[in-house]
Amino acid sequence: MASIVVVGAGIIGTSLAYELQCRGQSVVLVDKSAPGQGASYGNMASIAVTEFMPASRPGIWAQMPKWLLDPEGPVRIRPSYVPRLIPWFLRFIAASRPSRLRQLEEAGAALCARVHEDLGAFLKTTGLEHMLSAEGCLSLYADEAEFRADREHIEILERFGFRHEILGGNAIRDLEPALTTKITKAVLFPDNRSIADPYGFVLAIADRFRALGGIIEQGGVIGFEHREEGLSAVRLNDGRLLAADKFVLAAGAFTARLSDMLREYIPLETERGYHTQIMDPGVSMRHSIIWPARTFMVTPTAGGIRVGGTVEMAGLDAAPDYRRAKVLVKRAREALPDLQPRQATEWMGHRPALPDTVPVMGPSAKRRNLWYATGHGHLGLTYAATTARLMGDIITGLKPPVDMKPYRVDRF
């Protein structure tokens, strides 16, 4: 019998399983798919330490009506899904109170301030230092109006001491010659580095987990076996039972379906994200780029460049709408005029979104031997090593170096 079963083999679950195995635990990692097949397969490869701000802040609210009315806008809600979304959206509104926003900013900043320390140690232990880029990210602005519209973001970073540098036109193109001359200002975030191949990164961690004696099982969790006030096993769709002393639910956007079985409600939705991976783009890039006014991101990763962004709220079961990916490429070509979408593939994945933009990390409020690590939103890759460190401490009975109250499961 394993000492710990971790459910979910994305970047969060796989990193945590590896960390626990390193700490002398006997860990089984289980997922309905092979490691890295979910959102971790197609994320934007960014270690985005400057992107912890709550989505419910005033600058977002001001643009929301325009976005929702635009069929090509950065936020799309399928009409048929609106009734299901109402409880989540009410909590999203509640998270926009000024006092609550400040608390959420502090909770996100506390995690992001640790990211490079924890990631550096994690990469050294796994021998994967070569997968982290040396370059940062450029945030692009066509004019002063666009820059002023993003000033709230910059002011929050200044308040928490995150590094950034404001650049003018010539300095921008010295860094990235392929950018259009329409970009007059940029902000360089030197610490927003990227991973050479996020899917390959998960696979490499999984390999190192196995090498330490960890076990990976493939199967969908359809139920739980109980004992006293805790759990004794997870039940898989092929009839197997995986017994353990402790359990962790780290299944990303699918975690809420599992917690519902345990009558522990988590207001977890999926922000469906799209990307286009272009293997013959006709341009070269060193930095990742984001253009806030056009709401897309481009990252050199996985042997080509990846164009992604936008939010679609349509649940876990609706078919993809790949028009979203095509819109992103069209916008990316505004920034990179010579970009050619040759040898391109499109993808859609499910980001796990909580209404307050802060992940759930900590013990269950109802089961004594159950923990959660979920709801990391756009920052799963960013927070992975830090989540593994903090959750590793909690699960093995150590005091973590961060106050974990803001991330508790019963905060809603």
Side-chain angles (χ1 to χ4, degrees):
M1 183 177 76
S3 58
I4 302 176
V5 167
V6 176
V7 180
I11 184 61
I12 296 294
T14 304
S15 298
L16 177 54
Y18 171 81
E19 175 75 18
L20 292 167
Q21 193 74 22
C22 285
R23 295 182 184 221
Q25 304 297 304
S26 173
V27 183
V28 173
L29 178 64
V30 61
D31 196 298
K32 62 182 180 180
S33 304
Q37 290 288 307
S40 299
Y41 178 88
N43 65 53
M44 289 306 295
S46 180
I47 305 299
V49 297
T50 64
E51 303 306 308
F52 57 85
M53 285 68 65
S56 55
R57 64 191 189 275
I60 299 296
W61 276 109
Q63 300 180 75
M64 193 73 74
K66 177 184 69 175
W67 287 348
L68 290 174
L69 291 171
D70 181 357
E72 295 187 355
V75 178
R76 186 69 175 161
I77 301 176
R78 293 200 188 181
S80 61
Y81 198 69
V82 169
R84 289 279 303 276
L85 196 59
I86 289 173
W88 186 94
F89 194 68
L90 291 174
R91 288 182 171 86
F92 182 82
I93 293 171
S96 67
R97 301 190 311 272
S99 60
R100 184 62 178 144
L101 280 175
R102 184 59 65 95
Q103 294 171 349
L104 297 173
E105 290 165 4
E106 291 172 352
L111 296 179
C112 281
R114 292 196 54 85
V115 161
H116 279 292
E117 176 186 346
D118 295 327
L119 181 61
F122 188 87
L123 293 175
K124 184 175 181 180
T125 301
T126 56
L128 298 173
E129 297 101 322
H130 62 283
M131 296 199 76
L132 181 65
S133 76
E135 310 293 353
C137 177
L138 287 166
S139 185
L140 309 179
Y141 309 93
D143 51 37
E144 283 296 324
E146 286 189 3
F147 180 70
R148 286 195 301 272
D150 201 39
R151 187 63 200 173
E152 177 191 17
H153 178 196
I154 305 302
E155 289 173 350
I156 292 172
L157 298 180
E158 289 171 346
R159 176 158 29 103
F160 288 105
F162 287 88
R163 294 198 301 161
H164 61 282
E165 179 183 357
I166 299 174
L167 305 173
N170 291 335
I172 299 167
R173 274 164 288 282
D174 286 344
L175 293 179
E176 289 296 341
L179 286 171
T180 175
T181 56
K182 295 178 182 178
I183 300 299
T184 64
K185 184 171 283 190
V187 177
L188 173 64
F189 302 124
D191 296 323
N192 281 18
R193 296 157 72 182
S194 57
I195 294 294
D197 180 351
Y199 175 54
F201 188 48
V202 179
L203 295 183
I205 298 166
D207 286 343
R208 284 147 180 79
F209 168 67
R210 287 191 192 95
L212 291 173
I215 297 172
I216 298 178
E217 299 283 2
Q218 190 166 337
V221 175
I222 61 169
F224 299 88
E225 297 290 308
H226 302 265
R227 65 171 182 229
E228 299 175 356
E229 295 179 357
L231 304 178
S232 60
V234 296
R235 188 185 314 116
L236 303 186
N237 55 359
D238 60 6
R240 285 180 295 159
L241 290 175
L242 299 180
D245 298 320
K246 301 175 182 179
F247 300 83
V248 183
L249 299 186
F254 295 86
T255 306
R257 290 184 172 178
L258 301 174
S259 68
D260 283 351
M261 297 178 193
L262 299 169
R263 298 183 181 179
E264 188 155 27
Y265 175 71
I266 301 175
L268 187 65
E269 269 295 340
T270 171
E271 291 183 4
R272 295 149 58 98
Y274 291 82
H275 87 218
T276 299
Q277 179 73 27
I278 305 172
M279 302 308 291
D280 183 18
V283 296
S284 61
M285 298 175 62
R286 292 165 47 209
H287 301 74
S288 57
I289 62 170
I290 55 175
W291 193 343
R294 303 291 194 274
T295 61
F296 70 84
M297 182 174 190
V298 183
T299 307
T301 191
I305 70 168
R306 182 169 294 177
V307 182
T310 81
V311 169
E312 182 187 40
M313 309 297 281
L316 292 168
D317 302 316
D321 179 0
Y322 286 115
R323 291 175 298 180
R324 308 287 296 167
K326 292 176 174 60
V327 167
L328 291 167
V329 173
K330 181 172 71 172
R331 291 182 176 168
R333 296 184 75 181
E334 296 180 46
L336 300 163
D338 295 326
L339 173 64
Q340 299 297 322
R342 297 185 295 246
Q343 297 183 35
T345 55
E346 296 172 337
W347 172 91
M348 186 277 288
H350 296 281
R351 305 183 193 106
L354 288 162
D356 61 4
T357 325
V358 172
V360 164
M361 297 188 296
S364 164
K366 295 191 174 184
R367 300 293 188 280
R368 60 175 176 75
N369 61 343
L370 172 66
W371 290 261
Y372 292 98
T374 191
H376 294 74
H378 296 247
L379 299 178
L381 182 62
T382 303
Y383 286 154
T386 294
T387 297
R389 162 72 194 279
L390 298 176
M391 292 296 296
D393 285 348
I394 294 169
I395 293 167
T396 59
L398 301 177
K399 183 179 180 180
V402 171
D403 178 8
M404 299 300 291
K405 290 179 183 176
Y407 319 108
R408 67 190 187 278
V409 69
D410 59 349
R411 67 179 185 264
F412 298 99

